[in-house]
Short mmCIF file of all heavy atoms in Angstrom, two decimals:
data_model
loop_
_atom_site.label_atom_id
_atom_site.label_comp_id
_atom_site.label_asym_id
_atom_site.label_seq_id
_atom_site.Cartn_x
_atom_site.Cartn_y
_atom_site.Cartn_z
N ASN I 1 50.68 136.27 87.31
CA ASN I 1 49.22 136.28 87.29
C ASN I 1 48.61 134.88 87.28
O ASN I 1 47.42 134.73 87.00
CB ASN I 1 48.73 137.05 86.06
CG ASN I 1 49.15 138.51 86.09
OD1 ASN I 1 48.62 139.30 86.85
ND2 ASN I 1 50.14 138.85 85.27
N GLY I 2 49.40 133.90 87.54
CA GLY I 2 48.87 132.54 87.57
C GLY I 2 49.97 131.51 87.57
O GLY I 2 50.63 131.30 88.58
N GLU I 3 50.19 130.91 86.41
CA GLU I 3 51.17 129.83 86.33
C GLU I 3 51.91 129.87 85.00
O GLU I 3 51.30 130.07 83.95
CB GLU I 3 50.46 128.48 86.49
CG GLU I 3 51.41 127.29 86.48
CD GLU I 3 50.67 125.97 86.61
OE1 GLU I 3 49.44 126.00 86.83
OE2 GLU I 3 51.33 124.93 86.47
N ASP I 4 53.22 129.69 85.06
CA ASP I 4 54.04 129.59 83.86
C ASP I 4 53.79 128.23 83.22
O ASP I 4 54.06 127.19 83.84
CB ASP I 4 55.51 129.76 84.23
CG ASP I 4 56.46 129.60 83.05
OD1 ASP I 4 55.98 129.34 81.93
OD2 ASP I 4 57.68 129.73 83.26
N PRO I 5 53.29 128.17 81.99
CA PRO I 5 53.01 126.88 81.36
C PRO I 5 54.23 125.97 81.22
O PRO I 5 54.09 124.76 81.11
CB PRO I 5 52.47 127.27 79.97
CG PRO I 5 52.00 128.67 80.11
CD PRO I 5 52.91 129.30 81.13
N LEU I 6 55.43 126.59 81.22
CA LEU I 6 56.64 125.79 81.05
C LEU I 6 57.25 125.35 82.36
O LEU I 6 58.31 124.74 82.38
CB LEU I 6 57.67 126.57 80.22
CG LEU I 6 57.20 127.05 78.85
CD1 LEU I 6 58.36 127.63 78.06
CD2 LEU I 6 56.52 125.94 78.05
N GLY I 7 56.59 125.67 83.49
CA GLY I 7 57.07 125.21 84.78
C GLY I 7 57.78 126.29 85.57
O GLY I 7 58.22 127.31 85.02
N ASP I 8 57.89 126.06 86.85
CA ASP I 8 58.55 127.02 87.74
C ASP I 8 60.05 126.79 87.75
O ASP I 8 60.61 126.20 88.68
CB ASP I 8 57.97 126.90 89.16
CG ASP I 8 56.49 127.22 89.19
OD1 ASP I 8 56.08 128.11 88.43
OD2 ASP I 8 55.77 126.58 89.96
N THR I 9 60.70 127.20 86.71
CA THR I 9 62.14 127.03 86.62
C THR I 9 62.74 128.20 85.86
O THR I 9 62.10 128.79 85.00
CB THR I 9 62.51 125.70 85.93
OG1 THR I 9 63.94 125.63 85.77
CG2 THR I 9 61.86 125.62 84.55
N ASP I 10 63.98 128.51 86.17
CA ASP I 10 64.69 129.58 85.47
C ASP I 10 65.35 129.07 84.19
O ASP I 10 65.85 129.86 83.40
CB ASP I 10 65.76 130.19 86.39
CG ASP I 10 65.15 130.93 87.56
OD1 ASP I 10 64.03 131.43 87.40
OD2 ASP I 10 65.80 130.99 88.63
N ALA I 11 65.38 127.76 84.02
CA ALA I 11 66.03 127.19 82.83
C ALA I 11 65.22 127.50 81.58
O ALA I 11 63.99 127.41 81.59
CB ALA I 11 66.18 125.68 82.99
N MET I 12 65.93 127.88 80.51
CA MET I 12 65.27 128.17 79.25
C MET I 12 65.30 126.94 78.34
O MET I 12 66.32 126.24 78.27
CB MET I 12 65.95 129.35 78.55
CG MET I 12 65.80 130.66 79.29
SD MET I 12 64.07 131.17 79.48
CE MET I 12 63.66 131.62 77.79
N PRO I 13 64.21 126.66 77.64
CA PRO I 13 64.17 125.51 76.73
C PRO I 13 65.16 125.68 75.59
O PRO I 13 65.47 126.80 75.17
CB PRO I 13 62.73 125.50 76.21
CG PRO I 13 61.96 126.39 77.13
CD PRO I 13 62.93 127.39 77.65
N SER I 14 65.65 124.57 75.07
CA SER I 14 66.51 124.61 73.90
C SER I 14 65.66 124.81 72.64
O SER I 14 64.42 124.75 72.69
CB SER I 14 67.28 123.29 73.77
OG SER I 14 66.39 122.22 73.54
N LYS I 15 66.32 125.02 71.49
CA LYS I 15 65.58 125.19 70.24
C LYS I 15 64.74 123.95 69.94
O LYS I 15 63.58 124.06 69.51
CB LYS I 15 66.55 125.47 69.09
CG LYS I 15 67.15 126.85 69.09
CD LYS I 15 67.97 127.10 67.84
CE LYS I 15 69.17 126.19 67.74
NZ LYS I 15 70.03 126.50 66.58
N SER I 16 65.31 122.77 70.14
CA SER I 16 64.57 121.54 69.85
C SER I 16 63.39 121.38 70.80
O SER I 16 62.32 120.89 70.39
CB SER I 16 65.50 120.33 69.94
OG SER I 16 66.07 120.21 71.24
N GLU I 17 63.56 121.78 72.04
CA GLU I 17 62.45 121.69 73.00
C GLU I 17 61.33 122.66 72.63
O GLU I 17 60.15 122.34 72.77
CB GLU I 17 62.97 121.96 74.42
CG GLU I 17 63.83 120.84 74.97
CD GLU I 17 64.51 121.20 76.27
OE1 GLU I 17 64.70 122.42 76.55
OE2 GLU I 17 64.86 120.27 77.03
N LEU I 18 61.70 123.85 72.17
CA LEU I 18 60.70 124.81 71.75
C LEU I 18 59.93 124.30 70.53
O LEU I 18 58.71 124.45 70.44
CB LEU I 18 61.36 126.15 71.42
CG LEU I 18 61.93 126.93 72.61
CD1 LEU I 18 62.73 128.13 72.13
CD2 LEU I 18 60.82 127.37 73.56
N ASP I 19 60.66 123.69 69.59
CA ASP I 19 60.00 123.11 68.42
C ASP I 19 59.03 122.01 68.83
O ASP I 19 57.92 121.90 68.27
CB ASP I 19 61.05 122.52 67.46
CG ASP I 19 61.86 123.59 66.75
OD1 ASP I 19 61.50 124.78 66.85
OD2 ASP I 19 62.88 123.24 66.12
N GLU I 20 59.43 121.22 69.81
CA GLU I 20 58.57 120.15 70.31
C GLU I 20 57.31 120.72 70.95
O GLU I 20 56.21 120.17 70.78
CB GLU I 20 59.36 119.31 71.33
CG GLU I 20 58.62 118.09 71.86
CD GLU I 20 58.69 116.91 70.92
OE1 GLU I 20 59.39 116.98 69.90
OE2 GLU I 20 58.03 115.90 71.23
N LEU I 21 57.45 121.81 71.68
CA LEU I 21 56.29 122.42 72.32
C LEU I 21 55.28 122.92 71.29
O LEU I 21 54.07 122.83 71.48
CB LEU I 21 56.73 123.58 73.22
CG LEU I 21 57.46 123.19 74.51
CD1 LEU I 21 58.04 124.42 75.18
CD2 LEU I 21 56.52 122.46 75.46
N ILE I 22 55.79 123.46 70.17
CA ILE I 22 54.89 123.95 69.13
C ILE I 22 54.12 122.81 68.47
O ILE I 22 52.91 122.92 68.21
CB ILE I 22 55.69 124.75 68.07
CG1 ILE I 22 56.10 126.10 68.63
CG2 ILE I 22 54.86 124.94 66.80
CD1 ILE I 22 56.91 126.94 67.69
N SER I 23 54.82 121.72 68.22
CA SER I 23 54.18 120.63 67.48
C SER I 23 53.40 119.65 68.35
O SER I 23 52.37 119.12 67.93
CB SER I 23 55.24 119.85 66.68
OG SER I 23 56.20 119.28 67.56
N LYS I 24 53.88 119.46 69.60
CA LYS I 24 53.25 118.41 70.42
C LYS I 24 52.88 118.87 71.83
O LYS I 24 52.34 118.08 72.61
CB LYS I 24 54.19 117.21 70.52
CG LYS I 24 54.51 116.55 69.19
CD LYS I 24 55.46 115.37 69.36
CE LYS I 24 55.79 114.72 68.02
NZ LYS I 24 56.74 113.59 68.17
N GLY I 25 53.16 120.12 72.16
CA GLY I 25 52.88 120.58 73.51
C GLY I 25 51.41 120.84 73.75
O GLY I 25 50.59 120.83 72.83
N GLU I 26 51.07 121.06 75.01
CA GLU I 26 49.71 121.47 75.35
C GLU I 26 49.41 122.80 74.65
O GLU I 26 50.32 123.56 74.31
CB GLU I 26 49.58 121.62 76.86
CG GLU I 26 49.81 120.34 77.65
CD GLU I 26 48.69 119.33 77.46
OE1 GLU I 26 47.57 119.77 77.10
OE2 GLU I 26 48.93 118.13 77.63
N ALA I 27 48.13 123.07 74.44
CA ALA I 27 47.74 124.27 73.71
C ALA I 27 48.32 125.52 74.33
O ALA I 27 48.81 126.42 73.62
CB ALA I 27 46.21 124.36 73.65
N ARG I 28 48.31 125.60 75.65
CA ARG I 28 48.81 126.80 76.33
C ARG I 28 50.33 126.92 76.18
O ARG I 28 50.86 128.03 76.04
CB ARG I 28 48.41 126.76 77.81
CG ARG I 28 48.65 128.05 78.57
CD ARG I 28 47.97 127.98 79.93
NE ARG I 28 48.39 129.03 80.82
CZ ARG I 28 47.92 130.28 80.79
NH1 ARG I 28 47.02 130.61 79.87
NH2 ARG I 28 48.35 131.18 81.64
N GLU I 29 51.04 125.80 76.18
CA GLU I 29 52.49 125.81 75.98
C GLU I 29 52.83 126.29 74.57
O GLU I 29 53.70 127.15 74.37
CB GLU I 29 53.07 124.41 76.21
CG GLU I 29 52.94 123.90 77.64
CD GLU I 29 53.36 122.44 77.76
OE1 GLU I 29 53.33 121.71 76.74
OE2 GLU I 29 53.71 122.03 78.88
N ALA I 30 52.13 125.70 73.58
CA ALA I 30 52.37 126.09 72.19
C ALA I 30 52.04 127.55 71.96
O ALA I 30 52.77 128.28 71.27
CB ALA I 30 51.56 125.20 71.25
N ALA I 31 50.94 128.00 72.58
CA ALA I 31 50.52 129.40 72.41
C ALA I 31 51.55 130.35 73.00
O ALA I 31 51.80 131.44 72.45
CB ALA I 31 49.16 129.62 73.06
N LEU I 32 52.16 129.97 74.10
CA LEU I 32 53.19 130.80 74.72
C LEU I 32 54.39 130.96 73.78
O LEU I 32 54.88 132.07 73.56
CB LEU I 32 53.64 130.18 76.04
CG LEU I 32 54.87 130.81 76.72
CD1 LEU I 32 54.63 132.28 77.02
CD2 LEU I 32 55.22 130.04 78.00
N VAL I 33 54.86 129.85 73.22
CA VAL I 33 56.00 129.90 72.31
C VAL I 33 55.65 130.72 71.06
O VAL I 33 56.44 131.54 70.59
CB VAL I 33 56.47 128.49 71.92
CG1 VAL I 33 57.63 128.56 70.94
CG2 VAL I 33 56.88 127.70 73.16
N LEU I 34 54.45 130.52 70.54
CA LEU I 34 54.02 131.28 69.36
C LEU I 34 53.89 132.77 69.65
O LEU I 34 54.14 133.61 68.78
CB LEU I 34 52.70 130.73 68.83
CG LEU I 34 52.79 129.35 68.16
CD1 LEU I 34 51.40 128.82 67.85
CD2 LEU I 34 53.64 129.40 66.90
N SER I 35 53.54 133.10 70.89
CA SER I 35 53.48 134.52 71.28
C SER I 35 54.88 135.13 71.24
O SER I 35 55.06 136.27 70.80
CB SER I 35 52.88 134.66 72.68
OG SER I 35 51.54 134.22 72.71
N ALA I 36 55.88 134.36 71.69
CA ALA I 36 57.26 134.84 71.62
C ALA I 36 57.72 134.97 70.17
O ALA I 36 58.44 135.90 69.81
CB ALA I 36 58.19 133.90 72.39
N VAL I 37 57.28 134.02 69.32
CA VAL I 37 57.60 134.09 67.90
C VAL I 37 57.04 135.37 67.29
O VAL I 37 57.71 136.08 66.54
CB VAL I 37 57.03 132.85 67.16
CG1 VAL I 37 57.08 133.07 65.64
CG2 VAL I 37 57.81 131.60 67.53
N GLU I 38 55.79 135.71 67.64
CA GLU I 38 55.17 136.92 67.12
C GLU I 38 55.92 138.17 67.56
O GLU I 38 56.18 139.07 66.75
CB GLU I 38 53.71 136.99 67.59
CG GLU I 38 52.99 138.27 67.19
CD GLU I 38 52.84 138.45 65.69
OE1 GLU I 38 52.90 137.43 64.95
OE2 GLU I 38 52.66 139.59 65.24
N ARG I 39 56.28 138.23 68.82
CA ARG I 39 57.04 139.39 69.32
C ARG I 39 58.37 139.51 68.59
O ARG I 39 58.79 140.61 68.20
CB ARG I 39 57.27 139.26 70.82
CG ARG I 39 56.06 139.55 71.69
CD ARG I 39 56.50 139.72 73.12
NE ARG I 39 55.40 140.12 73.99
CZ ARG I 39 55.57 140.55 75.24
NH1 ARG I 39 56.80 140.64 75.74
NH2 ARG I 39 54.54 140.89 75.97
N PHE I 40 59.05 138.38 68.44
CA PHE I 40 60.35 138.42 67.77
C PHE I 40 60.19 138.83 66.31
O PHE I 40 61.01 139.59 65.78
CB PHE I 40 61.04 137.07 67.87
CG PHE I 40 62.41 137.06 67.24
CD1 PHE I 40 63.51 137.53 67.94
CD2 PHE I 40 62.60 136.61 65.94
CE1 PHE I 40 64.77 137.55 67.37
CE2 PHE I 40 63.85 136.62 65.36
CZ PHE I 40 64.94 137.09 66.08
N ALA I 41 59.17 138.31 65.64
CA ALA I 41 58.93 138.67 64.24
C ALA I 41 58.68 140.16 64.10
O ALA I 41 59.15 140.79 63.13
CB ALA I 41 57.74 137.88 63.70
N GLN I 42 57.96 140.75 65.05
CA GLN I 42 57.75 142.20 65.03
C GLN I 42 59.08 142.93 65.18
O GLN I 42 59.34 143.93 64.49
CB GLN I 42 56.78 142.61 66.15
CG GLN I 42 55.37 142.08 66.00
CD GLN I 42 54.57 142.80 64.93
OE1 GLN I 42 54.97 143.85 64.42
NE2 GLN I 42 53.41 142.26 64.58
N SER I 43 59.93 142.44 66.07
CA SER I 43 61.26 143.06 66.26
C SER I 43 62.11 142.92 65.01
O SER I 43 62.78 143.86 64.59
CB SER I 43 61.98 142.41 67.45
OG SER I 43 61.29 142.63 68.65
#
């Protein structure tokens, strides 16, 4: 529906990269990771 904030790649970020996105990433990048955190927390 638009653009993947983490880029057009099949590679998955590492844990340290995800942590970096939360603390220093663009708002949309951080929000994406936090959305995955919420889904996982529900699971």
